[in-house]
Amino acid sequence: MRLSATVLESPDANALAAFYRALLGWQVREEEPGWVMLAPPGGGAGLSFSTDPQYVRPTWPARPGVQQMMAHLDIEVDDLDESSARAIELGATVAGFQPQQHVRVHLDPDGHPFCLFLNT
């Protein structure tokens, strides 16, 4: 067995894939309306996106009674400020709650949390 991808649900998979393609610099491996697969340049597990009309934005940090975050992405970066600015330019927002100094939590355009962290 081999993990091929993590899949993020979205109200518009193609738009969310475009965000991550620009953020990560990955290439489209497969695309059709409502489904996109991105592949990292060096091979390995990719990131896929599926349209779900019933999608509900997760809440960060978690709170009782609202949609919980089920997973998040960790993205290693060389420059936290520069990478954060790039993510914001592409449509991400900085989360209001930041649990660690060397990590910056962002929310993608559909609300999925992702963490930028320094390459140490």
Side-chain angles (χ1 to χ4, degrees), residues 1-119:
M1 281 186 249
R2 177 177 68 227
L3 178 68
S4 64
T6 296
V7 181
L8 296 179
E9 301 298 317
S10 170
D12 184 343
N14 300 81
L16 188 60
F19 167 82
Y20 279 102
R21 179 176 186 232
L23 182 70
L24 299 171
W26 290 10
Q27 295 300 311
V28 174
R29 184 169 147 199
E30 181 181 321
E31 182 170 16
E32 59 187 63
W35 176 256
V36 181
M37 296 175 70
L38 297 182
L47 194 54
S48 296
F49 306 87
S50 176
T51 295
D52 179 356
Q54 303 301 313
Y55 175 79
V56 176
R57 284 177 78 95
T59 301
W60 170 258
R63 294 189 316 266
V66 294
Q67 178 64 45
Q68 301 295 304
M69 171 187 71
M70 300 299 289
H72 72 274
L73 303 175
D74 283 342
I75 302 170
E76 185 177 358
V77 300
D78 294 324
D79 184 307
L80 194 54
D81 291 333
E82 182 180 299
S83 299
S84 179
R86 176 73 175 141
I88 292 165
E89 176 184 302
L90 293 170
T93 57
V94 177
F97 176 66
Q98 298 293 321
Q100 300 162 306
Q101 284 190 320
H102 66 286
V103 175
R104 192 141 323 133
V105 180
H106 291 74
L107 305 174
D108 72 21
D110 290 338
H112 300 102
F114 66 93
C115 297
L116 300 179
F117 69 96
L118 286 174
N119 176 6

